[in-house]
Amino acid sequence: MAGPRVVIIGAGVVGAALADEISARGWTEVTVVDQGPLPATGGSSSHAPGLVFQTNSSKTMTELARYTVEKFCSLDVDGRPCFLQVGGLEVATTAERVAELRRRQGWLTSWGIESRLLSPEECVEQHPLVNPDRVLGGLLVPTDGIAKAVLAVEAQIRRATERGVRFLARHEVLDVTQTDGEVTGVRTDQGEIPADIVVCCAGIWGPKIARMVGMNLPLTPLAHQLAWTGPVPALAGQTREAVRPILRHQDADLYYRDRFDGLGIGSYGHRPMPVSADDILSVDDADDAMPSVLKFTEEDFADAWTETRSLLPATREAKVEEGINGLFSFTTDGLPLLGESPDVKGFWVAEAVWVTHSAGVGRAVAEWLVDGHCSSFDLHECDVNRFEPHQLSPEYVLARDCQNFVEVYDILHPLQPAGHPRPIRTSPFHTRQQELGAFFLEANGWERPQWYEANAGLVEGRSLVTPNDWAARYWSPIVGAEAQATRETVAMYDMTALKRLEVSGHGAARFLERLCTGKVAKSVGSVTYTLLLDHDGGIRSDITVARLAPDLFQVGANSNLDLDWFSRHLPADGTVQVRDITPGTCCIGLWGPLARDVLQPLTDADFSAAGLKYFRARRAHIGSVPVTAMRLSYVGELGWELYTTADLGQKLWDTLWQAARPLGGIAAGRGAFNSLRLEKGYRSFGTDMTYEHDPYEAGVGFAVKPDKDDFIGRAALERRRADVRRKLTCLTIDDPRSVVMGKEPVYDGERPVGYVTSAAYGYTIGKGIAYAWLPTELTAPGTTVRIGYFDQRIEAVVAEEPLFDPTMSRLRG
C-alpha cells in the first residue's frame, strides 16, 4: 500500500476514472464509496447517452475529451468495447451555422483534432437518414463516438481493484469529518472511513456533499430530455448498436445517436428545469428508478419531435416509445469544478464533469494530487477557486446555470455580453460613464466600457476601416478613434476591474520573494513586473508588485486564483496577511502624451520624469483626493495608474475630467485598450499565456531574475529554458478587413503549426495584429504564415516586437 489515505465520493464515470488514474500512479490506499450499486450507481453516468463530441472553443476541454476518447478506445469489459468510434457529424441548416462550423473546424485544427467540412451530399452519405433538402453543410470529426459509460465505469473499477483500490457500494455519505481545518474521514451509514484526502465526485449531489465542509459549489442539476424511438423501418435489420456518426443539429438544439434499429434523441430546446441537489432522492429512496432520472414531460418534447421528423424523414414512420428527463450538472461558465477547498485542507472536488471529459479529468486530478500540479492539461479555466464571491450567490448561480443550458448549442460571439443578473458590480465612475454613452461589457461581474458614444465626433476625418462582419460585432469605429486619440492627447481608462491584493506584515517581503520570479523586496516606491510560477515552471500569473511601505505591498493580479495561490502559501506564523482590496478601491489609467499636463497642475507632488520615474509609485493628493500613483502603462504611453478608495472615486474622475477636457482629453474603453496593448506587445494571462507555458516561450523571460534567491518553479524552469520549441509570436496582417478574433489555426503552407491567442486592429500602425503560438523555426521576422479564419486563409507576417515605440521613449518621457 502506498500514498495517503484517499476517499473518493462517487463511483460514476469521474470517480472510477480518478481511482484508476491515481492508483496507476502508485497511490493505492484508496476507497471509493457510492450510495448506489456498481457499476450503474444511479447518477448521471448511469443514464448518459454517451455522445462524445470533442469540439470545444476551450483548448483544455478539447484535450480532456481527446484523452477520454483515447482511453475509452483502449478499454473493454469481457470483449465488449467501452467506446464506439463512429465519428461525429454536425449539420448546418442556416447560413449562420455554416459559418459557425467553419469556425469550429478552426478550433479543432488549432487543438490538433482531425476534422473535415462536408457538402450537403457528403452529409447524407455519412448519415443517410438526413434530409438533403434541409442541410447546407456539415462538420465531421472521425474520432468522435459513443462512450458506453457504465461499461467504462466497470472497466476502470476492475483496473483499480487489481491495484488494491477498495470500492464500497450502498454506502451513503452522511458527513465529511474534519479537525482544525483538515479532513479526517468520511462518515457513512455503515461507519466511518479515515482519510487524509477526500475527493468529491458526486455529480448532481456534489453541492450537498461540499456543504458538509462549508464549501459552496456553483453547480445546478438541470433536467435534459432524452427520448428513444421504437424501430425505424429504414434501419430494419441493423444488428450493430451504432453504424452512423453521432449527429448534432444545433440549429434546433438536438442530437441523435443510433441504438440498433432505433434512435436516441436528445434535446436542449426546452425550458430550463433546474432541481436542487437537496431535492434529488437517494438511491434507496428512489425505489426501482434511478434518482437522476425524472419523469419525461412529453409537452416539452413536442417541438423536438416535429423538427426531428423534418430533418430525419424516416422517423415519421416511427414513434417515441420511451423518454426521460435526465439530470446533468451545469455551471455558471460551462466548465468543470476541479481543485481543493480554500478552507478545508484535503477536501477536493471533481464536479460538473460530463462523460465527454471524464477520463481526462481523472488523469488531471490524479496528477494534481500525486505531483502537486497537473502536467498534462492547463486547468486554470477549471479551478474551483476561480470565482468571485458574487459568482457563488444562489441567485447568480441559478440564473447563469440556466442560461448556459439555454445557450449550450447557440452561436456565441467571443465578446457577447452575459445575461441576467446584470449589472452586478459597478465602479464609482459608472454614472459618469453612462452620461458619456458608454457601451458596457462585463468583466468579472464589473460593468466595463468598451467605447463611449460621446466620442462619436472623433470618428470624422479619420481613416477607420470597418472589419469583417464577425469582428464588427460589439465593435464601433469609435474604438479606433479612441485608440488614436490616446496616442495624440490623453485618455482616461477605467481599470477598476483589475484584481488588487494587499500583502502586509513583517514577513511580507520574504513571502513575495519566495513566490515571484523577480526581485520585489526593493526600495519603498518600487514597482516590479514579475511572474508567479507553478512547481513545473509553468506560468500561473503575471503580476505587478508595488512596495508602498517596508511591510506593505500592493499586487496587481489577474483573478481570484492569484488570491488563492497566495493564501495557500502563507506562512503558519502569522507574519503575512493577504486581502482582496478590489471592492473598496478603484483605479483610473491616465495615459497619453498630455497626461502630465493634466496631472501636474492638480498636485503639489513632483510628477516630472525625474520626480516619479517609470515603474515607481508614490502617495499623493490629486486635488482633494488621496491617491496611490504608479507610473506604468499598458497602452504604451506616458501616464499613471491612479488608485483611491471607492468613496472618492467619482471625485477623482471629475477632477481629472475637468483638467483633461480643455486639452482634448477623452474617456476611452476596453476596445481601444486592447488595440494599444497589442501594439506594445503586452501579454494577457489566460489568453496569450497560461499554466502550460513557461516565461521563455511566452516572451517574458525578462521577468525572471536567475540571480535572486530561490523561488517556486526555479529548478524546473532551468530545465525548460534549454528546450524552447515554441514561442508566442507577433504577426501583422496587411488586409485591414481581415481582423481575426483569437483561437484560429495558423498554417505553414497546408500544415497546421499553431494558433492565435489575442488579436485586434492596430490603429496606430495601420495593420491587423495577431499573437500566435508557433514552432521556433517559424518565428524569424519576415516569415509568412496564414491564419485560418472561417473559409479564408489570411496571410500574416512575423514581425519584430514591439510594433510601437520600441525605444520606450514615450513611456519614459
Side-chain angles (χ1 to χ4, degrees):
M1 305 291 281
R5 298 170 300 176
V6 179
V7 173
I8 299 171
I9 301 173
V13 74
V14 179
L18 177 57
D20 180 34
E21 295 284 344
I22 202 171
S23 60
R25 285 162 177 78
W27 283 17
T28 54
E29 198 167 343
V30 178
T31 302
V32 184
V33 297
D34 200 291
Q35 62 176 332
L38 299 176
T41 62
S44 300
S45 302
S46 301
H47 68 75
L51 282 75
V52 175
F53 287 94
Q54 298 166 85
T55 312
N56 200 292
S57 63
S58 163
K59 182 173 184 282
T60 297
M61 294 298 280
T62 296
E63 290 177 339
L64 291 170
R66 173 167 46 199
Y67 180 78
T68 300
V69 168
E70 292 171 353
K71 182 176 183 181
F72 282 10
C73 282
S74 71
L75 298 178
D76 71 89
V77 175
D78 301 329
R80 292 176 292 166
C82 294
F83 195 77
L84 309 177
Q85 199 160 41
V86 292
L89 174 64
E90 300 181 32
V91 294
T93 59
T94 64
E96 293 77 13
R97 186 66 64 176
V98 170
E100 173 70 357
L101 293 187
R102 289 170 177 152
R103 186 167 73 117
R104 294 169 71 80
Q105 189 197 32
W107 299 337
L108 289 162
T109 305
S110 292
W111 316 147
I113 301 288
E114 178 192 353
S115 67
R116 62 188 178 98
L117 293 167
L118 303 183
S119 67
E121 296 75 20
E122 290 172 318
C123 290
V124 176
E125 289 176 9
Q126 291 289 329
H127 202 298
L129 299 189
V130 168
N131 184 348
D133 296 329
R134 289 292 315 278
V135 297
L136 303 177
L139 174 64
L140 179 70
V141 181
T143 53
D144 287 346
I146 299 171
K148 305 291 291 180
V150 174
L151 279 181
V153 169
E154 185 173 357
Q156 292 175 103
I157 286 176
R158 288 185 181 187
R159 285 160 49 127
T161 301
E162 290 175 356
R163 302 187 191 104
V165 174
R166 182 173 58 151
F167 286 82
L168 301 178
R170 302 286 186 183
H171 280 61
E172 183 178 359
V173 173
L174 303 178
D175 196 13
V176 177
T177 59
Q178 53 180 301
T179 301
D180 298 328
E182 296 187 22
V183 298
T184 57
V186 171
R187 184 165 60 86
T188 77
D189 59 351
Q190 299 190 44
E192 185 162 332
I193 307 167
D196 305 302
I197 295 171
V198 174
V199 187
C200 178
C201 303
I204 54 178
W205 291 279
K208 185 176 180 179
I209 299 296
R211 280 200 303 274
M212 294 176 180
V213 297
M215 189 175 184
N216 187 4
L217 288 184
L219 181 160
T220 303
L222 280 108
H224 157 61
Q225 290 201 302
L226 175 65
W228 299 97
T229 72
V232 177
L235 305 182
Q238 181 175 317
T239 57
R240 290 165 55 197
E241 180 177 352
V243 297
R244 278 163 293 278
I246 53 176
L247 178 66
R248 275 204 283 200
H249 175 25
Q250 298 194 81
D251 286 321
D253 299 308
L254 290 165
Y255 64 77
Y256 306 92
R257 56 151 292 182
D258 286 8
R259 188 172 71 168
F260 301 102
D261 61 353
L263 291 176
I265 307 167
S267 172
Y268 292 101
H270 54 81
R271 62 191 170 90
M273 294 183 271
V275 177
S276 169
D278 294 320
D279 294 336
I280 304 172
L281 297 176
S282 68
V283 173
D284 289 337
D285 293 335
D287 299 323
D288 294 332
M290 285 189 286
S292 59
V293 171
L294 306 182
K295 183 179 179 181
F296 186 62
T297 50
E298 292 185 16
E299 64 276 14
D300 289 304
F301 195 71
D303 290 343
W305 182 231
T306 298
E307 180 61 25
T308 294
R309 286 178 291 174
S310 174
L311 183 74
L312 309 175
T315 59
R316 296 170 188 169
E317 301 179 64
K319 295 181 180 180
V320 173
E321 293 198 345
E322 56 182 306
I324 63 171
N325 287 5
L327 295 177
F328 290 98
S329 300
F330 282 78
T331 62
T332 56
D333 56 9
L335 295 165
L337 307 173
L338 311 179
E340 187 179 21
S341 162
D343 302 312
V344 179
K345 186 176 180 182
F347 184 81
W348 289 66
V349 299
E351 288 289 345
V353 182
W354 292 3
V355 173
T356 300
H357 309 101
S358 58
V361 165
R363 177 175 180 172
V365 176
E367 289 179 352
W368 200 348
L369 286 166
V370 175
D371 302 330
H373 60 86
C374 177
S375 58
S376 296
F377 310 97
D378 162 34
L379 296 181
H380 85 276
E381 294 177 316
C382 306
D383 194 312
V384 70
N385 297 296
R386 64 189 180 269
F387 301 102
E388 296 290 325
H390 74 274
Q391 293 172 323
L392 299 175
S393 69
E395 179 193 37
Y396 182 95
V397 170
L398 180 60
R400 291 292 170 89
D401 288 359
C402 288
Q403 179 181 340
N404 277 327
F405 177 89
V406 171
E407 294 179 345
V408 69
Y409 279 174
D410 286 1
I411 299 171
L412 300 176
H413 192 274
L415 296 179
Q416 187 162 323
H420 177 79
R422 189 180 172 212
I424 298 176
R425 309 174 85 180
T426 56
S427 78
F429 324 130
H430 187 68
T431 300
R432 297 293 185 256
Q433 292 165 344
Q434 288 179 309
E435 293 168 355
L436 293 172
F439 179 84
F440 292 101
L441 297 179
E442 187 187 52
N444 262 346
W446 292 98
E447 295 294 313
R448 184 167 64 186
Q450 191 74 359
W451 69 80
Y452 295 87
E453 288 295 331
N455 294 326
L458 292 175
V459 173
E460 188 175 351
R462 298 179 185 271
S463 178
L464 301 170
V465 178
T466 301
N468 57 79
D469 292 345
W470 183 250
R473 298 187 189 185
Y474 308 105
W475 173 89
S476 166
I478 297 171
V479 168
E482 290 177 355
Q484 291 180 354
T486 302
R487 298 252 188 255
E488 296 162 357
T489 55
V490 62
M492 294 165 52
Y493 288 83
D494 183 357
M495 304 300 288
T496 302
L498 298 184
K499 193 82 164 174
R500 293 173 291 284
L501 307 177
E502 181 183 89
V503 182
S504 61
H506 295 306
R510 184 170 60 254
F511 168 75
L512 287 169
E513 283 288 322
R514 171 66 179 149
L515 295 181
C516 296
T517 62
K519 296 180 179 180
V520 298
K522 299 184 289 192
S523 61
V524 171
S526 64
V527 183
T528 305
Y529 174 82
T530 185
L531 306 173
L532 304 177
L533 303 183
D534 212 329
H535 295 275
D536 65 348
I539 301 170
R540 286 198 64 94
S541 190
D542 65 334
I543 61 175
T544 55
V545 179
R547 191 171 200 175
L548 304 181
D551 296 335
L552 178 66
F553 296 81
Q554 181 171 312
V555 175
N558 280 297
S559 74
N560 208 58
L561 292 179
D562 296 335
L563 175 60
D564 181 67
W565 185 252
F566 279 3
S567 300
R568 292 183 188 281
H569 290 87
L570 286 172
D573 59 9
T575 58
V576 183
Q577 296 81 45
V578 177
R579 69 186 184 101
D580 182 0
I581 61 173
T582 312
T585 57
C586 57
C587 178
I588 295 175
L590 181 71
W591 295 313
L594 301 184
R596 187 174 284 118
D597 298 317
V598 172
L599 193 63
Q600 189 60 76
L602 301 174
T603 180
D604 292 334
D606 184 2
F607 278 88
S608 67
L612 187 63
K613 296 180 179 179
Y614 186 53
F615 264 80
R616 297 288 296 179
R618 74 181 313 159
R619 298 267 176 75
H621 282 85
I622 306 302
S624 58
V625 180
V627 302
T628 298
M630 299 186 195
R631 192 173 166 201
L632 57 157
S633 164
Y634 286 98
V635 301
E637 293 291 339
L638 168 68
W640 301 268
E641 291 181 356
L642 302 171
Y643 298 88
T644 193
T645 51
D647 60 319
L648 292 168
Q650 185 168 297
K651 181 62 175 177
L652 176 62
W653 179 281
D654 291 344
T655 301
L656 294 172
W657 183 251
Q658 291 167 13
R661 287 304 291 156
L663 299 176
I666 64 166
R670 191 68 179 185
F673 177 94
N674 196 48
S675 170
L676 297 171
R677 70 106 179 160
L678 286 176
E679 288 183 334
K680 282 298 294 179
Y682 294 144
R683 277 67 168 145
S684 173
F685 179 80
T687 303
D688 298 315
M689 54 190 184
T690 67
Y691 292 1
E692 67 175 300
H693 305 116
D694 70 49
Y696 305 110
E697 297 172 325
V700 289
F702 63 88
V704 179
K705 305 303 178 186
D707 59 336
K708 64 166 286 185
D709 291 338
D710 194 25
F711 53 84
I712 292 175
R714 179 174 180 173
L717 193 60
E718 288 300 312
R719 295 190 296 271
R720 295 178 69 151
R721 183 177 187 176
D723 189 30
V724 175
R725 301 182 184 184
R726 59 183 176 179
K727 288 185 178 180
L728 185 62
T729 306
C730 178
L731 304 174
T732 58
I733 302 167
D734 287 336
D735 182 354
R737 283 186 54 81
S738 297
V739 175
V740 301
M741 300 292 294
K743 302 187 178 181
E744 298 88 359
V746 180
Y747 295 86
D748 177 29
E750 293 301 312
R751 179 174 63 107
V753 291
Y755 60 91
V756 174
T757 57
S758 294
Y761 190 76
Y763 295 98
T764 311
I765 66 167
K767 293 184 177 183
I769 305 169
Y771 272 77
W773 281 101
L774 296 177
T776 53
E777 63 269 20
L778 294 176
T779 58
T783 302
T784 299
V785 293
R786 285 177 172 77
I787 299 172
Y789 187 66
F790 293 94
D791 59 346
Q792 303 176 54
R793 293 287 178 90
I794 298 170
E795 186 172 289
V797 179
V798 176
E800 293 273 10
E801 56 175 322
L803 299 169
F804 177 78
D805 189 28
T807 64
M808 306 284 279
S809 59
R810 294 173 74 102
L811 276 169
R812 299 178 183 275

